[in-house]
Amino acid sequence: MSRHREHTLRRWLKDHGAMIERIASTYERRPALVAELTQDVALALWRALPDFRAEASDRTFVARIAHNVGISHVRRAVARPPGLSDDALAPVADEGPSLEHITDRAQQRARLQGAVRALPLSLRAVMALHLEGFSNIEIGHTLSLSPNNVGVRLARARSQLKAALESAQ
Amino acid sequence: MSNTDLELKSLWQSGPTVDIHTLLRHVARERRRMQAVLWVEIAACIASVGMFVYYDAAGVFGEQRWLAWGVIAVSMVVQIWMWRWRRGLWNATTRSPRELLTLQLSRARVGLRIGRYYAYGTPICTLLAFAGARFIAPNAPALSLSVSARLAVLAGLASVMIGLTVWGFRMIRRYRDQIAHINTQLKEFEHEDQRAK
């Protein structure tokens, strides 16, 4: 690996690694495959690094690559439409203070991930980036959409997400 | 579960951290693997051209030397096209999701066409070749091989033909599914665009 390229990749993975994994979890529900998809994103980032122009922030660049790798992954798998499944509701590894709180929070997060996965692709990417804390303009840059378009999609994604979460409870 | 925006964001971002060393190791391993594959492909290309030059110089091809060189030239073109195809797919990840889907759709259509060539073209070409050979040279002498050797050659050819046909049908099924899937995704995008207007 060239030193500068390796250094940049390391920095991106350090800063955005968790975001990459969360985005990967909107395209795949099984933890092992999420990890695999995260690795694919890391490789895609390495390949795409020479194309990075500092016009956009590295966060939007990384998010775009992660979503595109997710789209390609789903196309290859041509899996059944994702939805709220038993797996998505399964408890996740421990994190947080008390055991009850841990399980509860992990389950809530798994539910949220499942509900985001159940959204159509055009809304899923917008909602995932919104939950990552992207502004509408940043989401627009990442997905090549106008801020107005992002706003409309976000409103629809919110209502669908709310319905999915309520039905899951 | 409360679903206010801030709580949802906090919940969403509360996931475990990733091990970047594992990711970097994976990237390094994959790069080594891809480089090895590339070197093997380059070596195979050079070896096959070298072999052809050697046999050509030895006069093995005789009257059919232009046909043999045609075969090797086509193989090289196919190899270069495959390299470009692979490279194009890698570069596509920097595009917008809609552009990526459009590109994938066109690629899937090419894949479907290639699958059809294999699935339908292989048996049709085989039959035409047999029929053509009978028509053009009905009294051609049989191969100077023993019966068992002839059977082995025929079995080998048949298994290649059947293999190509089966592979073609599998490609057709895979690319048809992919095209249907990508079309659905693109329609979703269009639908959302119309709503946003």
mmCIF file with all atom_site columns, all heavy atoms in Angstrom, chain B residues 118 122-123 126 130 150-168:
data_model
loop_
_atom_site.group_PDB
_atom_site.id
_atom_site.type_symbol
_atom_site.label_atom_id
_atom_site.label_alt_id
_atom_site.label_comp_id
_atom_site.label_asym_id
_atom_site.label_entity_id
_atom_site.label_seq_id
_atom_site.pdbx_PDB_ins_code
_atom_site.Cartn_x
_atom_site.Cartn_y
_atom_site.Cartn_z
_atom_site.occupancy
_atom_site.B_iso_or_equiv
_atom_site.pdbx_formal_charge
_atom_site.auth_seq_id
_atom_site.auth_comp_id
_atom_site.auth_asym_id
_atom_site.auth_atom_id
_atom_site.pdbx_PDB_model_num
ATOM 1   N N   . TYR B 1 118 ? -24.435 -18.399 -24.716 1.00 0.00 ? 118 TYR B N   1
ATOM 2   C CA  . TYR B 1 118 ? -23.967 -19.694 -24.216 1.00 0.00 ? 118 TYR B CA  1
ATOM 3   C C   . TYR B 1 118 ? -25.090 -20.731 -24.245 1.00 0.00 ? 118 TYR B C   1
ATOM 4   O O   . TYR B 1 118 ? -24.903 -21.848 -24.717 1.00 0.00 ? 118 TYR B O   1
ATOM 5   C CB  . TYR B 1 118 ? -23.453 -19.570 -22.778 1.00 0.00 ? 118 TYR B CB  1
ATOM 6   C CG  . TYR B 1 118 ? -22.076 -18.970 -22.655 1.00 0.00 ? 118 TYR B CG  1
ATOM 7   C CD1 . TYR B 1 118 ? -21.803 -18.004 -21.698 1.00 0.00 ? 118 TYR B CD1 1
ATOM 8   C CD2 . TYR B 1 118 ? -21.041 -19.384 -23.473 1.00 0.00 ? 118 TYR B CD2 1
ATOM 9   C CE1 . TYR B 1 118 ? -20.540 -17.437 -21.575 1.00 0.00 ? 118 TYR B CE1 1
ATOM 10  C CE2 . TYR B 1 118 ? -19.776 -18.834 -23.363 1.00 0.00 ? 118 TYR B CE2 1
ATOM 11  C CZ  . TYR B 1 118 ? -19.533 -17.863 -22.414 1.00 0.00 ? 118 TYR B CZ  1
ATOM 12  O OH  . TYR B 1 118 ? -18.285 -17.324 -22.300 1.00 0.00 ? 118 TYR B OH  1
ATOM 13  N N   . THR B 1 122 ? -24.588 -22.320 -28.017 1.00 0.00 ? 122 THR B N   1
ATOM 14  C CA  . THR B 1 122 ? -23.712 -23.501 -27.984 1.00 0.00 ? 122 THR B CA  1
ATOM 15  C C   . THR B 1 122 ? -24.362 -24.715 -28.656 1.00 0.00 ? 122 THR B C   1
ATOM 16  O O   . THR B 1 122 ? -23.768 -25.280 -29.584 1.00 0.00 ? 122 THR B O   1
ATOM 17  C CB  . THR B 1 122 ? -23.312 -23.838 -26.526 1.00 0.00 ? 122 THR B CB  1
ATOM 18  O OG1 . THR B 1 122 ? -22.824 -22.662 -25.923 1.00 0.00 ? 122 THR B OG1 1
ATOM 19  C CG2 . THR B 1 122 ? -22.264 -24.924 -26.469 1.00 0.00 ? 122 THR B CG2 1
ATOM 20  N N   . PRO B 1 123 ? -25.585 -25.134 -28.256 1.00 0.00 ? 123 PRO B N   1
ATOM 21  C CA  . PRO B 1 123 ? -26.158 -26.308 -28.932 1.00 0.00 ? 123 PRO B CA  1
ATOM 22  C C   . PRO B 1 123 ? -26.460 -26.064 -30.402 1.00 0.00 ? 123 PRO B C   1
ATOM 23  O O   . PRO B 1 123 ? -26.234 -26.946 -31.238 1.00 0.00 ? 123 PRO B O   1
ATOM 24  C CB  . PRO B 1 123 ? -27.456 -26.589 -28.147 1.00 0.00 ? 123 PRO B CB  1
ATOM 25  C CG  . PRO B 1 123 ? -27.708 -25.406 -27.310 1.00 0.00 ? 123 PRO B CG  1
ATOM 26  C CD  . PRO B 1 123 ? -26.430 -24.665 -27.155 1.00 0.00 ? 123 PRO B CD  1
ATOM 27  N N   . THR B 1 126 ? -23.203 -26.167 -32.323 1.00 0.00 ? 126 THR B N   1
ATOM 28  C CA  . THR B 1 126 ? -22.700 -27.546 -32.391 1.00 0.00 ? 126 THR B CA  1
ATOM 29  C C   . THR B 1 126 ? -23.441 -28.325 -33.479 1.00 0.00 ? 126 THR B C   1
ATOM 30  O O   . THR B 1 126 ? -22.820 -28.998 -34.319 1.00 0.00 ? 126 THR B O   1
ATOM 31  C CB  . THR B 1 126 ? -22.903 -28.244 -31.025 1.00 0.00 ? 126 THR B CB  1
ATOM 32  O OG1 . THR B 1 126 ? -22.386 -27.403 -30.015 1.00 0.00 ? 126 THR B OG1 1
ATOM 33  C CG2 . THR B 1 126 ? -22.207 -29.582 -30.974 1.00 0.00 ? 126 THR B CG2 1
ATOM 34  N N   . PHE B 1 130 ? -21.876 -29.794 -36.998 1.00 0.00 ? 130 PHE B N   1
ATOM 35  C CA  . PHE B 1 130 ? -21.976 -31.203 -37.419 1.00 0.00 ? 130 PHE B CA  1
ATOM 36  C C   . PHE B 1 130 ? -22.654 -31.315 -38.778 1.00 0.00 ? 130 PHE B C   1
ATOM 37  O O   . PHE B 1 130 ? -22.170 -31.989 -39.681 1.00 0.00 ? 130 PHE B O   1
ATOM 38  C CB  . PHE B 1 130 ? -22.751 -32.009 -36.378 1.00 0.00 ? 130 PHE B CB  1
ATOM 39  C CG  . PHE B 1 130 ? -21.873 -32.566 -35.303 1.00 0.00 ? 130 PHE B CG  1
ATOM 40  C CD1 . PHE B 1 130 ? -21.932 -32.092 -34.003 1.00 0.00 ? 130 PHE B CD1 1
ATOM 41  C CD2 . PHE B 1 130 ? -20.962 -33.581 -35.598 1.00 0.00 ? 130 PHE B CD2 1
ATOM 42  C CE1 . PHE B 1 130 ? -21.115 -32.597 -33.009 1.00 0.00 ? 130 PHE B CE1 1
ATOM 43  C CE2 . PHE B 1 130 ? -20.128 -34.095 -34.612 1.00 0.00 ? 130 PHE B CE2 1
ATOM 44  C CZ  . PHE B 1 130 ? -20.201 -33.598 -33.323 1.00 0.00 ? 130 PHE B CZ  1
ATOM 45  N N   . ARG B 1 150 ? -11.653 -41.943 -29.717 1.00 0.00 ? 150 ARG B N   1
ATOM 46  C CA  . ARG B 1 150 ? -12.705 -41.144 -30.357 1.00 0.00 ? 150 ARG B CA  1
ATOM 47  C C   . ARG B 1 150 ? -13.836 -40.870 -29.369 1.00 0.00 ? 150 ARG B C   1
ATOM 48  O O   . ARG B 1 150 ? -14.369 -39.768 -29.292 1.00 0.00 ? 150 ARG B O   1
ATOM 49  C CB  . ARG B 1 150 ? -13.249 -41.895 -31.577 1.00 0.00 ? 150 ARG B CB  1
ATOM 50  C CG  . ARG B 1 150 ? -12.954 -41.146 -32.871 1.00 0.00 ? 150 ARG B CG  1
ATOM 51  C CD  . ARG B 1 150 ? -13.565 -41.836 -34.034 1.00 0.00 ? 150 ARG B CD  1
ATOM 52  N NE  . ARG B 1 150 ? -12.666 -42.842 -34.579 1.00 0.00 ? 150 ARG B NE  1
ATOM 53  C CZ  . ARG B 1 150 ? -13.014 -43.691 -35.542 1.00 0.00 ? 150 ARG B CZ  1
ATOM 54  N NH1 . ARG B 1 150 ? -14.238 -43.700 -36.009 1.00 0.00 ? 150 ARG B NH1 1
ATOM 55  N NH2 . ARG B 1 150 ? -12.150 -44.555 -35.995 1.00 0.00 ? 150 ARG B NH2 1
ATOM 56  N N   . LEU B 1 151 ? -14.182 -41.909 -28.616 1.00 0.00 ? 151 LEU B N   1
ATOM 57  C CA  . LEU B 1 151 ? -15.243 -41.765 -27.610 1.00 0.00 ? 151 LEU B CA  1
ATOM 58  C C   . LEU B 1 151 ? -14.840 -40.753 -26.535 1.00 0.00 ? 151 LEU B C   1
ATOM 59  O O   . LEU B 1 151 ? -15.645 -39.930 -26.111 1.00 0.00 ? 151 LEU B O   1
ATOM 60  C CB  . LEU B 1 151 ? -15.538 -43.113 -26.949 1.00 0.00 ? 151 LEU B CB  1
ATOM 61  C CG  . LEU B 1 151 ? -16.476 -44.028 -27.730 1.00 0.00 ? 151 LEU B CG  1
ATOM 62  C CD1 . LEU B 1 151 ? -16.601 -45.369 -27.014 1.00 0.00 ? 151 LEU B CD1 1
ATOM 63  C CD2 . LEU B 1 151 ? -17.857 -43.392 -27.891 1.00 0.00 ? 151 LEU B CD2 1
ATOM 64  N N   . ALA B 1 152 ? -13.545 -40.819 -26.164 1.00 0.00 ? 152 ALA B N   1
ATOM 65  C CA  . ALA B 1 152 ? -13.056 -39.897 -25.135 1.00 0.00 ? 152 ALA B CA  1
ATOM 66  C C   . ALA B 1 152 ? -13.128 -38.459 -25.636 1.00 0.00 ? 152 ALA B C   1
ATOM 67  O O   . ALA B 1 152 ? -13.553 -37.550 -24.912 1.00 0.00 ? 152 ALA B O   1
ATOM 68  C CB  . ALA B 1 152 ? -11.624 -40.249 -24.750 1.00 0.00 ? 152 ALA B CB  1
ATOM 69  N N   . VAL B 1 153 ? -12.717 -38.263 -26.932 1.00 0.00 ? 153 VAL B N   1
ATOM 70  C CA  . VAL B 1 153 ? -12.771 -36.909 -27.519 1.00 0.00 ? 153 VAL B CA  1
ATOM 71  C C   . VAL B 1 153 ? -14.220 -36.430 -27.562 1.00 0.00 ? 153 VAL B C   1
ATOM 72  O O   . VAL B 1 153 ? -14.535 -35.285 -27.174 1.00 0.00 ? 153 VAL B O   1
ATOM 73  C CB  . VAL B 1 153 ? -12.149 -36.904 -28.943 1.00 0.00 ? 153 VAL B CB  1
ATOM 74  C CG1 . VAL B 1 153 ? -12.460 -35.590 -29.656 1.00 0.00 ? 153 VAL B CG1 1
ATOM 75  C CG2 . VAL B 1 153 ? -10.652 -37.111 -28.851 1.00 0.00 ? 153 VAL B CG2 1
ATOM 76  N N   . LEU B 1 154 ? -15.120 -37.307 -28.017 1.00 0.00 ? 154 LEU B N   1
ATOM 77  C CA  . LEU B 1 154 ? -16.533 -36.946 -28.115 1.00 0.00 ? 154 LEU B CA  1
ATOM 78  C C   . LEU B 1 154 ? -17.121 -36.622 -26.743 1.00 0.00 ? 154 LEU B C   1
ATOM 79  O O   . LEU B 1 154 ? -17.852 -35.638 -26.583 1.00 0.00 ? 154 LEU B O   1
ATOM 80  C CB  . LEU B 1 154 ? -17.333 -38.081 -28.762 1.00 0.00 ? 154 LEU B CB  1
ATOM 81  C CG  . LEU B 1 154 ? -17.356 -38.069 -30.294 1.00 0.00 ? 154 LEU B CG  1
ATOM 82  C CD1 . LEU B 1 154 ? -18.103 -39.289 -30.796 1.00 0.00 ? 154 LEU B CD1 1
ATOM 83  C CD2 . LEU B 1 154 ? -18.009 -36.793 -30.821 1.00 0.00 ? 154 LEU B CD2 1
ATOM 84  N N   . ALA B 1 155 ? -16.770 -37.465 -25.762 1.00 0.00 ? 155 ALA B N   1
ATOM 85  C CA  . ALA B 1 155 ? -17.279 -37.235 -24.402 1.00 0.00 ? 155 ALA B CA  1
ATOM 86  C C   . ALA B 1 155 ? -16.774 -35.902 -23.854 1.00 0.00 ? 155 ALA B C   1
ATOM 87  O O   . ALA B 1 155 ? -17.523 -35.139 -23.240 1.00 0.00 ? 155 ALA B O   1
ATOM 88  C CB  . ALA B 1 155 ? -16.858 -38.373 -23.479 1.00 0.00 ? 155 ALA B CB  1
ATOM 89  N N   . GLY B 1 156 ? -15.486 -35.609 -24.125 1.00 0.00 ? 156 GLY B N   1
ATOM 90  C CA  . GLY B 1 156 ? -14.904 -34.338 -23.671 1.00 0.00 ? 156 GLY B CA  1
ATOM 91  C C   . GLY B 1 156 ? -15.621 -33.163 -24.298 1.00 0.00 ? 156 GLY B C   1
ATOM 92  O O   . GLY B 1 156 ? -16.011 -32.217 -23.606 1.00 0.00 ? 156 GLY B O   1
ATOM 93  N N   . LEU B 1 157 ? -15.813 -33.245 -25.639 1.00 0.00 ? 157 LEU B N   1
ATOM 94  C CA  . LEU B 1 157 ? -16.494 -32.153 -26.344 1.00 0.00 ? 157 LEU B CA  1
ATOM 95  C C   . LEU B 1 157 ? -17.925 -31.976 -25.830 1.00 0.00 ? 157 LEU B C   1
ATOM 96  O O   . LEU B 1 157 ? -18.381 -30.858 -25.584 1.00 0.00 ? 157 LEU B O   1
ATOM 97  C CB  . LEU B 1 157 ? -16.525 -32.429 -27.851 1.00 0.00 ? 157 LEU B CB  1
ATOM 98  C CG  . LEU B 1 157 ? -15.243 -32.101 -28.614 1.00 0.00 ? 157 LEU B CG  1
ATOM 99  C CD1 . LEU B 1 157 ? -15.371 -32.540 -30.063 1.00 0.00 ? 157 LEU B CD1 1
ATOM 100 C CD2 . LEU B 1 157 ? -14.960 -30.599 -28.544 1.00 0.00 ? 157 LEU B CD2 1
ATOM 101 N N   . ALA B 1 158 ? -18.607 -33.130 -25.674 1.00 0.00 ? 158 ALA B N   1
ATOM 102 C CA  . ALA B 1 158 ? -20.009 -33.071 -25.213 1.00 0.00 ? 158 ALA B CA  1
ATOM 103 C C   . ALA B 1 158 ? -20.100 -32.451 -23.818 1.00 0.00 ? 158 ALA B C   1
ATOM 104 O O   . ALA B 1 158 ? -20.987 -31.620 -23.562 1.00 0.00 ? 158 ALA B O   1
ATOM 105 C CB  . ALA B 1 158 ? -20.613 -34.476 -25.210 1.00 0.00 ? 158 ALA B CB  1
ATOM 106 N N   . SER B 1 159 ? -19.170 -32.826 -22.951 1.00 0.00 ? 159 SER B N   1
ATOM 107 C CA  . SER B 1 159 ? -19.254 -32.283 -21.588 1.00 0.00 ? 159 SER B CA  1
ATOM 108 C C   . SER B 1 159 ? -18.987 -30.773 -21.584 1.00 0.00 ? 159 SER B C   1
ATOM 109 O O   . SER B 1 159 ? -19.621 -30.028 -20.841 1.00 0.00 ? 159 SER B O   1
ATOM 110 C CB  . SER B 1 159 ? -18.316 -33.016 -20.631 1.00 0.00 ? 159 SER B CB  1
ATOM 111 O OG  . SER B 1 159 ? -17.021 -32.959 -21.125 1.00 0.00 ? 159 SER B OG  1
ATOM 112 N N   . VAL B 1 160 ? -18.061 -30.324 -22.473 1.00 0.00 ? 160 VAL B N   1
ATOM 113 C CA  . VAL B 1 160 ? -17.813 -28.869 -22.566 1.00 0.00 ? 160 VAL B CA  1
ATOM 114 C C   . VAL B 1 160 ? -19.075 -28.171 -23.064 1.00 0.00 ? 160 VAL B C   1
ATOM 115 O O   . VAL B 1 160 ? -19.500 -27.134 -22.522 1.00 0.00 ? 160 VAL B O   1
ATOM 116 C CB  . VAL B 1 160 ? -16.605 -28.584 -23.509 1.00 0.00 ? 160 VAL B CB  1
ATOM 117 C CG1 . VAL B 1 160 ? -16.522 -27.096 -23.836 1.00 0.00 ? 160 VAL B CG1 1
ATOM 118 C CG2 . VAL B 1 160 ? -15.312 -29.052 -22.866 1.00 0.00 ? 160 VAL B CG2 1
ATOM 119 N N   . MET B 1 161 ? -19.700 -28.750 -24.108 1.00 0.00 ? 161 MET B N   1
ATOM 120 C CA  . MET B 1 161 ? -20.919 -28.145 -24.680 1.00 0.00 ? 161 MET B CA  1
ATOM 121 C C   . MET B 1 161 ? -22.030 -28.082 -23.631 1.00 0.00 ? 161 MET B C   1
ATOM 122 O O   . MET B 1 161 ? -22.697 -27.056 -23.469 1.00 0.00 ? 161 MET B O   1
ATOM 123 C CB  . MET B 1 161 ? -21.419 -28.962 -25.884 1.00 0.00 ? 161 MET B CB  1
ATOM 124 C CG  . MET B 1 161 ? -20.472 -29.015 -27.037 1.00 0.00 ? 161 MET B CG  1
ATOM 125 S SD  . MET B 1 161 ? -20.098 -27.371 -27.647 1.00 0.00 ? 161 MET B SD  1
ATOM 126 C CE  . MET B 1 161 ? -18.623 -27.674 -28.562 1.00 0.00 ? 161 MET B CE  1
ATOM 127 N N   . ILE B 1 162 ? -22.228 -29.213 -22.942 1.00 0.00 ? 162 ILE B N   1
ATOM 128 C CA  . ILE B 1 162 ? -23.297 -29.260 -21.930 1.00 0.00 ? 162 ILE B CA  1
ATOM 129 C C   . ILE B 1 162 ? -22.977 -28.272 -20.805 1.00 0.00 ? 162 ILE B C   1
ATOM 130 O O   . ILE B 1 162 ? -23.853 -27.525 -20.352 1.00 0.00 ? 162 ILE B O   1
ATOM 131 C CB  . ILE B 1 162 ? -23.475 -30.705 -21.388 1.00 0.00 ? 162 ILE B CB  1
ATOM 132 C CG1 . ILE B 1 162 ? -24.054 -31.590 -22.491 1.00 0.00 ? 162 ILE B CG1 1
ATOM 133 C CG2 . ILE B 1 162 ? -24.403 -30.727 -20.160 1.00 0.00 ? 162 ILE B CG2 1
ATOM 134 C CD1 . ILE B 1 162 ? -23.991 -33.069 -22.190 1.00 0.00 ? 162 ILE B CD1 1
ATOM 135 N N   . GLY B 1 163 ? -21.704 -28.252 -20.404 1.00 0.00 ? 163 GLY B N   1
ATOM 136 C CA  . GLY B 1 163 ? -21.289 -27.323 -19.341 1.00 0.00 ? 163 GLY B CA  1
ATOM 137 C C   . GLY B 1 163 ? -21.581 -25.885 -19.722 1.00 0.00 ? 163 GLY B C   1
ATOM 138 O O   . GLY B 1 163 ? -22.132 -25.120 -18.924 1.00 0.00 ? 163 GLY B O   1
ATOM 139 N N   . LEU B 1 164 ? -21.214 -25.506 -20.957 1.00 0.00 ? 164 LEU B N   1
ATOM 140 C CA  . LEU B 1 164 ? -21.444 -24.131 -21.417 1.00 0.00 ? 164 LEU B CA  1
ATOM 141 C C   . LEU B 1 164 ? -22.938 -23.808 -21.456 1.00 0.00 ? 164 LEU B C   1
ATOM 142 O O   . LEU B 1 164 ? -23.366 -22.724 -21.069 1.00 0.00 ? 164 LEU B O   1
ATOM 143 C CB  . LEU B 1 164 ? -20.840 -23.921 -22.807 1.00 0.00 ? 164 LEU B CB  1
ATOM 144 C CG  . LEU B 1 164 ? -19.326 -23.716 -22.877 1.00 0.00 ? 164 LEU B CG  1
ATOM 145 C CD1 . LEU B 1 164 ? -18.872 -23.614 -24.319 1.00 0.00 ? 164 LEU B CD1 1
ATOM 146 C CD2 . LEU B 1 164 ? -18.928 -22.442 -22.130 1.00 0.00 ? 164 LEU B CD2 1
ATOM 147 N N   . THR B 1 165 ? -23.730 -24.786 -21.914 1.00 0.00 ? 165 THR B N   1
ATOM 148 C CA  . THR B 1 165 ? -25.180 -24.558 -22.010 1.00 0.00 ? 165 THR B CA  1
ATOM 149 C C   . THR B 1 165 ? -25.779 -24.374 -20.618 1.00 0.00 ? 165 THR B C   1
ATOM 150 O O   . THR B 1 165 ? -26.563 -23.440 -20.400 1.00 0.00 ? 165 THR B O   1
ATOM 151 C CB  . THR B 1 165 ? -25.854 -25.758 -22.725 1.00 0.00 ? 165 THR B CB  1
ATOM 152 O OG1 . THR B 1 165 ? -25.150 -26.003 -23.941 1.00 0.00 ? 165 THR B OG1 1
ATOM 153 C CG2 . THR B 1 165 ? -27.301 -25.486 -23.029 1.00 0.00 ? 165 THR B CG2 1
ATOM 154 N N   . VAL B 1 166 ? -25.393 -25.246 -19.679 1.00 0.00 ? 166 VAL B N   1
ATOM 155 C CA  . VAL B 1 166 ? -25.924 -25.145 -18.314 1.00 0.00 ? 166 VAL B CA  1
ATOM 156 C C   . VAL B 1 166 ? -25.505 -23.819 -17.684 1.00 0.00 ? 166 VAL B C   1
ATOM 157 O O   . VAL B 1 166 ? -26.318 -23.113 -17.071 1.00 0.00 ? 166 VAL B O   1
ATOM 158 C CB  . VAL B 1 166 ? -25.440 -26.344 -17.449 1.00 0.00 ? 166 VAL B CB  1
ATOM 159 C CG1 . VAL B 1 166 ? -25.771 -26.145 -15.983 1.00 0.00 ? 166 VAL B CG1 1
ATOM 160 C CG2 . VAL B 1 166 ? -26.053 -27.642 -17.950 1.00 0.00 ? 166 VAL B CG2 1
ATOM 161 N N   . TRP B 1 167 ? -24.231 -23.463 -17.897 1.00 0.00 ? 167 TRP B N   1
ATOM 162 C CA  . TRP B 1 167 ? -23.722 -22.202 -17.367 1.00 0.00 ? 167 TRP B CA  1
ATOM 163 C C   . TRP B 1 167 ? -24.519 -21.027 -17.945 1.00 0.00 ? 167 TRP B C   1
ATOM 164 O O   . TRP B 1 167 ? -24.879 -20.088 -17.237 1.00 0.00 ? 167 TRP B O   1
ATOM 165 C CB  . TRP B 1 167 ? -22.233 -22.083 -17.717 1.00 0.00 ? 167 TRP B CB  1
ATOM 166 C CG  . TRP B 1 167 ? -21.540 -20.955 -17.026 1.00 0.00 ? 167 TRP B CG  1
ATOM 167 C CD1 . TRP B 1 167 ? -21.892 -20.381 -15.831 1.00 0.00 ? 167 TRP B CD1 1
ATOM 168 C CD2 . TRP B 1 167 ? -20.386 -20.254 -17.472 1.00 0.00 ? 167 TRP B CD2 1
ATOM 169 N NE1 . TRP B 1 167 ? -21.017 -19.381 -15.509 1.00 0.00 ? 167 TRP B NE1 1
ATOM 170 C CE2 . TRP B 1 167 ? -20.081 -19.282 -16.503 1.00 0.00 ? 167 TRP B CE2 1
ATOM 171 C CE3 . TRP B 1 167 ? -19.565 -20.360 -18.599 1.00 0.00 ? 167 TRP B CE3 1
ATOM 172 C CZ2 . TRP B 1 167 ? -18.994 -18.410 -16.620 1.00 0.00 ? 167 TRP B CZ2 1
ATOM 173 C CZ3 . TRP B 1 167 ? -18.482 -19.501 -18.705 1.00 0.00 ? 167 TRP B CZ3 1
ATOM 174 C CH2 . TRP B 1 167 ? -18.210 -18.544 -17.739 1.00 0.00 ? 167 TRP B CH2 1
ATOM 175 N N   . GLY B 1 168 ? -24.794 -21.128 -19.262 1.00 0.00 ? 168 GLY B N   1
ATOM 176 C CA  . GLY B 1 168 ? -25.579 -20.078 -19.925 1.00 0.00 ? 168 GLY B CA  1
ATOM 177 C C   . GLY B 1 168 ? -26.954 -19.923 -19.304 1.00 0.00 ? 168 GLY B C   1
ATOM 178 O O   . GLY B 1 168 ? -27.394 -18.807 -19.012 1.00 0.00 ? 168 GLY B O   1
#
